[in-house]
Amino acid sequence: MKKAVKVLNNIGENIWTVEGEAVLFFGMPYTTIMTLIKMASGDIWIHSSLKLSQDLIREVSALGNVKYLVSPNKLHHLFIADWIKAFPKAICYASPGLVKKRRDITFDKELGMHPETE
């Protein structure tokens, strides 16, 4: 039986990061990191989602209800479709211009110049 691997790194009260695999961009490897915040409501906000694994799903789900998925720019979207499938009730935000770039992904909202009500 495969042993579960701890992937969340608690860096503060209700704040976690996860270090992901390097991804290639113009032939150069770039490190990746995801941030999770547990909000006062108990819901989870995820910024710059990484490649999903069963260990990651288990740990994130143990924190609470994944409510928000945020792609912060047009580069941080590689794995968000898998997160939308894994957490279909989450509200998914695209950075400006990403909806046109990734027509294969259904985003709920597009970020703008002003903060969202949520």
Side-chain angles (χ1 to χ4, degrees):
M1 179 184 219
K2 183 180 171 187
K3 184 179 178 182
V5 177
K6 182 160 177 52
V7 292
L8 295 180
N9 178 33
N10 183 242
I11 61 167
E13 186 176 346
N14 295 318
I15 303 173
W16 295 263
T17 60
V18 180
E19 293 183 29
E21 300 172 4
V23 296
L24 290 179
F25 185 66
F26 289 109
M28 298 289 296
Y30 286 86
T31 58
T32 56
I33 192 163
M34 177 174 78
T35 304
L36 300 91
I37 297 176
K38 187 169 190 173
M39 302 171 69
S41 65
D43 292 324
I44 305 300
W45 178 91
I46 296 177
H47 177 272
S48 194
S49 57
L50 297 176
K51 185 176 182 179
L52 271 176
S53 70
Q54 288 304 311
D55 291 328
L56 186 52
I57 290 172
R58 178 184 45 78
E59 285 191 52
V60 169
S61 296
L63 293 178
N65 175 51
V66 175
K67 180 81 180 232
Y68 306 104
L69 298 169
V70 179
S71 176
N73 61 42
K74 289 194 276 185
L75 300 176
H76 293 86
H77 59 81
L78 296 178
F79 306 108
I80 201 158
D82 293 335
W83 284 82
I84 293 168
K85 287 178 193 169
F87 300 96
K89 293 184 180 179
I91 300 168
C92 187
Y93 293 90
S95 58
L98 187 57
V99 171
K100 288 182 182 179
K101 180 178 181 178
R102 292 297 306 267
R103 295 180 191 266
D104 60 313
I105 299 174
T106 302
F107 293 95
D108 297 299
K109 296 184 177 187
E110 188 171 35
L111 297 171
M113 294 301 295
H114 302 285
E116 294 293 325
T117 304
E118 297 89 358

